[in-house]
Amino acid sequence: MAETNNHKLPMYAVIFTVIFKLLFLLTHHIQEDAFITWRVAQNVMDYGVIGFNGDIKISASTTHLYVFVSYLFNLIFGKEYFVEPILIFNSILFTIGSLFLSHLLLKNPWHKAIFIFLFGILPPSIKISILGMEYGLLFFLEMALLYYGFKKEKKWALIVFPILILFTRIDTVIFLGIVFLVDIFWNKRLRWNYILGGVLGICFALAFNWLYFGEVVNNTITAKKLLYDKNFTLSQDIEYFRLNYGNFWGMLKVPGDFNPFTILVLIFELLCFVFLIRQQEKRNYFLWMIFLFAWAKQLIFLSQKSLFDWYYWVPQILLFVPVLIFVLEQKVKRNLWLSLLIVFYIIPMVAFQTIHSIATGNGEWNYRRSIGIFLNSYEKDKNQWILLEPAGYVPYFSGLKTIDEVGLVDRKIQDEIRKDKKHYWINTVKDRKPKYLLSYNDLFAGEDGGYYRTHYQLLKEYRIKDHLKSDHKILEKIYKLKPSGTDYNLYIRIR
């Protein structure tokens, strides 16, 4: 009976971890881009079209599969009540994914249970679970592929999961490619079912884009590359990496250009990985897969100057896996090792993420959302347009048609960027005459101030300093310790 109960420990750990992380829902820390995906899902409900502004087709979201999942949650729970259920669903999926990972790497049920909990409360794991992005679904699918396809050797899994993974995000070709290379090196043979799954996945994702949207890659990729693309020399690339590696390679962001904390953790992760693979265990097969993928994903995305936090969440936690295994399997003074890890890393990281989520939740949910709520009540005609950046909270809660600066949700602005990148904002305003403008800057004071003063008036100012207050003194201290948000000016067209 005791042995049976021990085997249930990992599942108990899944349940406990999910319940623990649900506390973070109280922070209302939801990623801006999640609202883009959810608006696309609601656009499917309202217009029968995968788009953002009415019946115009556009791949405004980075993920197709998660759009359909979000559509189902909207359909089941309604637009007003689907958010909490889908966040809980994401957390459950991610934690089940960590259960699969524990089965791949550990044997002892107690070790698996502790691993699931500690792994699940690391900052990237919390963000994957409760920020509303597609990475909970993606992590589940990737770990399910490794568990069912490569450990259990289910042929169906080698075909089905690559298709679902690629339909979630096309850049997962990096993960699938690393797994393919490690498998060939390790087993000295080709898995034709896996090759078939990969080929079908790529063909299905690209064919869907081409047949439905008339494009090969998602519009989001095209838009970001168009606006953010810069030509760097080798020395500039090296300097760029030095300035940014710390904030995206590690779990802790610190001010300044130099992040010694990340270097120390990275060195320890490497040492633990080397220690483990020298043991000649069967699990090394999977350790190589996840560790090489994490390094490859980080290097590729940093080299492409992709400075969006969520690209790095999964690599960050996978790089830390060898540390957790190393500590859990210590035969001498294991409790001391585990205590040191919890006291000096896990608890500080959870505390950091708690403060970060509370502060960011205030800046996003309490502050930026209020702009959308104001516009929703102020402007009854939802066919009116607003030009702004970013395209998450404000368009979602205002219901207005949207032109975003990057072109994620509107292709026409990309044409202006191609014609005249320096003046594309004012050219878009003159050509399309949106009723509302939401800007970080004082438009009346710029070089085109005369045009703006003639055609627009300031409707409302939004200042983050006005939202750093709370009846709860601890919350107020956190808001002021880590203010999150940007000052905005909202303009309305007058002629």
Side-chain angles (χ1 to χ4, degrees):
M1 181 64 71
E3 185 67 24
T4 302
N5 289 336
N6 278 350
H7 282 297
K8 292 180 180 178
L9 279 172
M11 186 53 67
Y12 294 150
V14 168
I15 296 169
F16 179 75
T17 304
V18 170
I19 293 172
F20 179 85
K21 284 197 287 191
L22 292 184
L23 293 171
F24 282 86
L25 294 181
L26 299 175
T27 66
H28 294 295
H29 182 194
I30 302 175
Q31 181 63 42
E32 181 91 30
D33 284 50
F35 286 100
I36 297 178
T37 298
W38 293 340
R39 171 149 163 172
V40 171
Q42 291 176 359
N43 202 81
V44 176
M45 292 179 65
D46 297 336
Y47 297 93
V49 169
I50 301 174
F52 197 88
N53 295 310
D55 60 358
I56 302 172
K57 293 180 180 180
I58 186 171
S59 52
S61 172
T62 56
T63 170
H64 295 322
L65 183 60
Y66 189 52
V67 165
F68 290 115
V69 170
S70 301
Y71 166 79
L72 290 175
F73 270 79
N74 272 275
L75 208 60
I76 295 168
F77 296 98
K79 293 181 182 179
E80 299 292 328
Y81 304 104
F82 84 96
V83 172
E84 285 76 14
I86 201 170
L87 296 182
I88 295 170
F89 176 72
N90 288 341
S91 187
I92 292 171
L93 282 184
F94 173 81
T95 313
I96 293 175
S98 69
L99 172 67
F100 292 149
L101 183 58
S102 73
H103 289 329
L104 297 174
L105 301 174
L106 296 163
K107 298 176 182 177
N108 187 306
W110 275 103
H111 291 174
K112 291 180 181 180
I114 297 170
F115 173 89
I116 289 166
F117 179 70
L118 295 183
F119 182 81
I121 62 173
L122 291 170
S125 304
I126 292 170
K127 288 185 280 193
I128 290 172
S129 298
I130 59 97
L131 264 65
M133 299 288 280
E134 65 269 20
Y135 288 93
L137 171 63
L138 185 60
F139 186 78
F140 167 81
L141 293 173
E142 290 175 339
M143 295 304 108
L145 169 65
L146 297 185
Y147 180 72
Y148 288 108
F150 291 89
K151 183 176 176 64
K152 297 294 185 180
E153 297 191 330
K154 303 292 184 182
K155 292 181 179 180
W156 62 266
L158 294 172
I159 297 174
V160 172
F161 284 121
I163 296 173
L164 295 175
I165 288 168
L166 284 161
F167 201 58
T168 305
R169 287 190 66 93
I170 195 67
D171 57 34
T172 52
V173 69
I174 300 171
F175 172 80
L176 296 173
I178 293 295
V179 169
F180 176 72
L181 293 174
V182 172
D183 182 57
I184 288 179
F185 179 82
W186 195 271
N187 294 306
K188 305 295 190 296
R189 63 186 175 90
L190 292 173
R191 294 182 191 263
W192 291 106
N193 286 343
Y194 184 55
I195 294 173
L196 177 62
V199 171
L200 289 176
I202 292 172
C203 291
F204 184 67
L206 297 183
F208 180 82
N209 279 346
W210 177 254
L211 294 174
Y212 192 85
F213 300 108
E215 59 194 15
V216 176
V217 298
N218 292 31
N219 175 72
T220 52
I221 298 173
T222 303
K224 289 175 182 177
K225 184 172 180 57
L226 179 63
L227 187 63
Y228 299 137
D229 192 30
K230 294 179 180 178
N231 294 318
F232 278 62
T233 65
L234 178 61
S235 61
Q236 287 174 323
D237 277 326
I238 294 172
E239 179 66 8
Y240 185 92
F241 180 84
R242 185 187 71 80
L243 293 174
N244 290 289
Y245 83 94
N247 283 342
F248 295 99
W249 210 287
M251 299 177 193
L252 181 65
K253 289 188 175 185
V254 296
D257 300 340
F258 182 63
N259 193 335
F261 180 81
T262 294
I263 295 176
L264 291 174
V265 173
L266 185 61
I267 290 172
F268 192 52
E269 289 169 347
L270 282 167
L271 291 174
C272 290
F273 175 74
V274 172
F275 176 83
L276 292 177
I277 61 172
R278 286 171 61 88
Q279 294 179 352
Q280 302 299 316
E281 295 276 352
K282 289 183 179 179
R283 69 169 176 210
N284 289 359
Y285 175 52
F286 296 107
L287 273 174
W288 276 108
M289 286 179 178
I290 64 172
F291 209 69
L292 287 179
F293 159 67
W295 272 86
K297 178 73 181 286
Q298 299 277 52
L299 287 171
I300 291 170
F301 272 71
L302 267 178
S303 69
Q304 296 303 305
K305 303 169 186 64
S306 301
L307 301 186
F308 300 96
D309 287 7
W310 46 93
Y311 293 152
Y312 303 90
W313 292 343
V314 173
Q316 285 169 2
I317 52 173
L318 290 181
L319 284 173
F320 200 74
V321 165
V323 175
L324 292 174
I325 298 174
F326 172 80
V327 171
L328 287 170
E329 293 187 345
Q330 285 299 305
K331 293 181 173 58
V332 179
K333 297 182 179 179
R334 178 172 57 219
N335 291 339
L336 176 61
W337 275 94
L338 188 58
S339 299
L340 290 173
L341 175 68
I342 292 172
V343 171
F344 290 102
Y345 192 84
I346 302 294
I347 291 178
M349 286 292 100
V350 174
F352 163 76
Q353 185 58 43
T354 301
I355 293 171
H356 176 72
S357 289
I358 290 172
T360 307
N362 176 63
E364 299 286 354
W365 187 263
N366 296 338
Y367 172 56
R368 207 191 311 251
R369 184 177 68 110
S370 68
I371 305 174
I373 292 173
F374 167 77
L375 281 167
N376 185 56
S377 61
Y378 184 85
E379 179 56 69
K380 302 304 181 185
D381 182 4
K382 301 310 176 187
N383 287 316
Q384 294 297 335
W385 291 79
I386 182 170
L387 172 58
L388 50 61
E389 176 63 25
Y393 277 87
V394 176
Y396 183 87
F397 287 100
S398 70
L400 297 176
K401 291 189 174 181
T402 303
I403 309 166
D404 69 299
E405 291 182 4
V406 182
L408 300 181
V409 305
D410 182 90
R411 283 198 193 92
K412 291 182 181 179
I413 199 170
Q414 295 176 25
D415 296 330
E416 295 293 348
I417 295 172
R418 292 187 184 95
K419 286 190 291 186
D420 186 354
K421 194 170 186 178
K422 184 178 180 181
H423 302 102
Y424 80 96
W425 217 90
I426 182 63
N427 291 341
T428 298
V429 173
K430 289 179 178 179
D431 180 49
R432 301 180 63 181
K433 300 176 176 60
K435 185 171 181 179
Y436 297 96
L437 306 175
L438 185 65
S439 176
Y440 305 119
N441 305 313
D442 179 0
L443 297 180
F444 295 161
E447 62 176 314
D448 300 305
Y451 178 86
Y452 290 116
R453 285 191 296 271
T454 301
H455 296 280
Y456 287 86
Q457 72 178 30
L458 181 65
L459 179 62
K460 197 173 176 63
E461 290 183 339
Y462 290 91
R463 298 294 179 261
I464 186 59
K465 63 181 177 61
D466 298 329
H467 286 259
L468 303 180
K469 300 172 184 176
S470 174
D471 294 334
H472 303 281
K473 295 302 177 185
I474 294 177
L475 291 180
E476 187 170 299
K477 287 181 180 179
I478 291 174
Y479 296 160
K480 292 181 177 179
L481 174 68
K482 192 182 183 300
S484 178
T486 309
D487 292 342
Y488 284 105
N489 295 313
L490 177 62
Y491 300 88
I492 183 170
R493 190 170 184 88
I494 54 178
R495 65 176 71 176

